[in-house]
Amino acid sequence: MPHRPAPARQDRRVRAARLFAATAGGAVLGALLLGTAAPATAAAERSVPRAAVRAEAPATVTVTGSGSASAAPDLAILSVGVDVTRTTAKEAMAGQSSAAESLLTVLRGEGVEDRDIRTDSLSLTPVYTQTTRGESKVTGYQASQSFSVKVRRIDRAGQVIGAVNDATGDSGRVNGVVFDVSDPKELRAKAREAAYRDAYEKASQHARLSGHRLGRLVSLSEGESLRPGHGAMPSMPADEPSVPLAPGEIEEQVTVSAVFELL
C-alpha cells in the first residue's frame, strides 16, 4: 500500500499555503494602492496656488512731514570792505592796504577776535574811460578787499558798522549783514521733532481713512534743512556812529519722508 501522510502534518501544510497566499495578495494590493495614491498627491500639490504659499506683503503708506523751529539770533555776520582807486596799480594797492589795516584795527578795538575775521576777496582791476573817439582807455586802477566779520555781541553790531565807516572814510563799504545762531543743533533738533510728528499724524490719518491701523515704521529719511529769511541789508554806506538793526528771529526748517505699515 502507498504511504499517506499523517492527518496533522497535512493540516499544517494547508494552513501554510493559505497564509502565503494571503500575504502575497496583500502585498500586491498595497503596491496597487501606493501607485494610485502617488499621482493623486502630486496632482493635489500642483493644484495649490503659489500665492497661497507665499506670504502676502503688507500694505504701506508713505508720507512727508515738515517742521520748523524759531529762535532769537545770537550772532551777526558782517560783510565789510574797502575800495581804493588810484592812477597806478601800485598806488591803488598801497591805498587799499592802508584802508584795510585801519578797518582791521577798528574791528579789534571793538572786541572782534582775529578768529572771527576772514578775507573773502581781494582784487585789482583797471578803470576804463571812454575817449572822445569812442576808445576805451585805462585811466587808473581799483584795489578792493572784503571781509567776513562775526560779531558775537549782537547788540554791538550797529556800533561796529559805524566804527568801520569812521575808520575807513570814503574807502569803506558795508555790503550786508546776516543774523544767525552760533550753535544751530538745538534749533534743528526741535524742527526735526516737529517734522516727525507731522509725518506720524498724516500716516495715522491715512490709516484711519483706509480702514487700517498704523503699524511699525519701515523707513525714515531726512531732507536737507533750510534756514530761510536771514536778516540782511544791501550794500550801503554807514554815515552814523551806530546803525540801527533789527535782528528778528532765525527759523530752521526740516522735512522727513516716512514709510509705515498698515495693519
Side-chain angles (χ1 to χ4, degrees):
M1 284 183 70
H3 176 71
R4 293 181 178 180
R9 183 180 301 175
Q10 187 175 5
D11 290 342
R12 286 197 300 270
R13 290 179 179 178
V14 172
R15 286 197 300 271
R18 289 177 178 174
L19 180 59
F20 176 80
T23 303
V28 173
L29 179 60
L32 291 174
L33 291 175
L34 182 61
T36 57
T41 303
E45 290 179 352
R46 286 195 299 271
S47 66
V48 177
R50 291 187 177 182
V53 178
R54 188 184 306 116
E56 185 178 355
T60 60
V61 58
T62 302
V63 292
T64 299
S66 59
S68 62
S70 300
D74 59 2
L75 181 70
I77 304 175
L78 310 180
S79 176
V80 296
V82 291
D83 295 327
V84 175
T85 302
R86 297 287 187 270
T87 304
T88 65
K90 184 177 181 180
E91 291 173 347
M93 287 298 295
Q96 181 275 139
S97 296
S98 177
E101 191 60 43
S102 298
L103 186 151
L104 294 175
T105 299
V106 74
L107 288 176
R108 296 182 182 110
E110 290 294 327
V112 180
E113 299 181 13
D114 287 344
R115 66 187 178 98
D116 292 329
I117 305 172
R118 184 189 68 214
T119 296
D120 282 341
S121 66
L122 176 65
S123 64
L124 175 66
T125 56
V127 177
Y128 294 93
T129 301
Q130 197 85 5
T131 65
T132 55
R133 299 180 180 180
E135 300 175 349
S136 294
K137 181 180 179 182
V138 176
T139 56
Y141 290 85
Q142 184 182 65
S144 304
Q145 186 171 185
S146 63
F147 299 89
S148 176
V149 181
K150 292 182 180 180
V151 180
R152 299 185 183 274
R153 292 186 56 182
I154 194 171
D155 58 325
R156 291 176 57 84
Q159 181 175 331
V160 172
I161 292 173
V164 166
N165 183 72
D166 287 341
T168 56
D170 292 339
S171 300
R173 294 290 180 269
V174 179
N175 302 315
V177 57
V178 173
F179 297 101
D180 206 347
V181 289
S182 54
D183 185 6
K185 292 180 181 178
E186 183 178 353
L187 193 62
R188 190 173 297 124
K190 291 180 179 179
R192 184 180 296 117
E193 183 177 347
Y196 180 80
R197 284 199 306 267
D198 183 49
Y200 185 84
E201 290 171 0
K202 288 179 180 178
S204 298
Q205 184 181 20
H206 281 297
R208 194 166 55 250
L209 293 174
S210 60
H212 291 81
R213 290 184 296 107
L214 194 64
R216 69 183 182 89
L217 176 66
V218 178
S219 67
L220 180 68
S221 61
E222 181 177 328
E224 185 177 357
S225 62
L226 299 175
R227 219 178 301 167
H230 282 193
M233 58 184 179
S235 176
M236 55 165 282
D239 296 329
E240 299 181 8
S242 180
V243 178
L245 301 175
E249 281 191 336
I250 302 302
E251 183 181 70
E252 186 88 11
Q253 295 181 354
V254 172
T255 59
V256 297
S257 180
V259 180
F260 293 88
E261 280 188 355
L262 294 177
L263 305 178

